[in-house]
Amino acid sequence: LSFFKQIQRAQIKFDIVVLNAGMTIHPPQQTKDGIDMMLFVNFMANVIIIQYLIKLQLFNEDASNTEKPRIVSTSSDSHRWQKYRDFELLYNYNAIAQVSHYGNTKLWNQMTINHCSKMYRNKIDCYGHCPGPVFSEIARHSAWYLRWIANAFMAPLFQSIERGGKHIVFSCVQPSQLYPSGTYRWMTRRVSQAQDALNETHQKQLIKHANQIVTDLEKKYGTIDV
């Protein structure tokens, strides 16, 4: 909350917000509030940021602007292989299942940004995008042998961070000319499970669970007055 208080005091308004944080971690860890670490970093942090930016009216909605403020949420192609699951099923996972858990957190991101695009369509443009396979340090918090396996797999097959970063730039500057999701042919095939991101019943369940976590955190740490 201290971050938002500083922004509020400085009277800063945002034109574009990029939500790009992500991690994999094994063995599983929890925050001091008992929330799964990967769940919190990859998904809940985005929910909290979006909610407070809107609640505190921190987007630049000047009538003279030719474009609406924009939220760009970076997901992962791994979300397309996942089916919607409730939070409580994902608090204990082994080294193999961490990849699936990561994909679920990214699926939730896509579901949330799709929900926001409808809810705030008259005020804010919301984009969820997948930059395709990128050779990043996403496994830096995992066990050493998992980092070795991930690096050995990603190095010859995935694109560089610099090239992957172009997708984010285009999302921020020219969303009408986005690169296609998946740079390599084997990543571009359609996967039916990805339709879960558009399922409105699942979206409502997801937002309800996420809002409950936010409410519990606000009871413990307080909230910010508008």
Side-chain angles (χ1 to χ4, degrees), residues 16-21 70-75 106 127-132 134 159-175 177-179:
I16 300 172
V17 171
V18 179
L19 304 173
N20 191 47
R70 187 174 302 151
I71 298 174
V72 177
S73 177
T74 303
S75 183
K106 292 302 183 177
Y127 295 95
H129 77 123
C130 306
V134 178
Q159 61 188 326
S160 68
I161 293 176
E162 290 75 17
R163 186 177 177 187
K166 292 181 180 179
H167 300 279
I168 299 177
V169 172
F170 269 76
S171 296
C172 294
V173 180
Q174 274 186 308
Q177 299 183 24
L178 290 180
Y179 285 88

Side-chain angles (χ1 to χ4, degrees), residues 132-152:
V134 178
F135 181 28
S136 67
E137 297 182 358
I138 194 69
R140 61 189 178 278
H141 297 291
S142 297
W144 67 268
Y145 58 91
L146 293 175
R147 294 198 303 271
W148 186 88
I149 293 173
N151 289 340

Side-chain angles (χ1 to χ4, degrees), residues 47-84:
V47 173
I48 293 170
I49 290 171
I50 291 173
Q51 284 195 8
Y52 270 90
L53 288 174
I54 293 171
K55 177 181 179 180
L56 300 177
Q57 299 178 341
L58 296 178
F59 282 108
N60 185 5
E61 298 181 35
D62 192 321
S64 64
N65 288 347
T66 57
E67 296 184 359
K68 290 181 290 185
R70 187 174 302 151
I71 298 174
V72 177
S73 177
T74 303
S75 183
S76 165
D77 278 350
S78 62
H79 87 274
R80 299 189 297 163
W81 277 263
Q82 307 307 319
K83 292 184 177 180
Y84 176 74

Side-chain angles (χ1 to χ4, degrees), residues 16-35:
I16 300 172
V17 171
V18 179
L19 304 173
N20 191 47
M23 68 181 301
T24 61
I25 187 168
H26 191 271
Q29 296 182 24
Q30 294 186 354
T31 68
K32 62 181 180 181
D33 299 299
I35 303 173

Side-chain angles (χ1 to χ4, degrees), residues 146-211:
L146 293 175
R147 294 198 303 271
W148 186 88
I149 293 173
N151 289 340
F153 174 72
M154 291 192 296
L157 296 175
F158 287 17
Q159 61 188 326
S160 68
I161 293 176
E162 290 75 17
R163 186 177 177 187
K166 292 181 180 179
H167 300 279
I168 299 177
V169 172
F170 269 76
S171 296
C172 294
V173 180
Q174 274 186 308
S176 61
Q177 299 183 24
L178 290 180
Y179 285 88
S181 174
T183 302
Y184 299 96
R185 189 174 298 278
W186 62 274
M187 291 291 286
T188 59
R189 67 186 182 88
R190 292 183 61 83
V191 180
S192 61
Q193 288 94 315
Q195 295 302 308
D196 272 348
L198 304 177
N199 186 302
E200 292 196 10
T201 299
H202 290 167
Q203 286 181 9
K204 290 178 181 178
Q205 292 175 348
L206 177 70
I207 297 302
K208 180 180 179 181
H209 290 175
N211 285 341

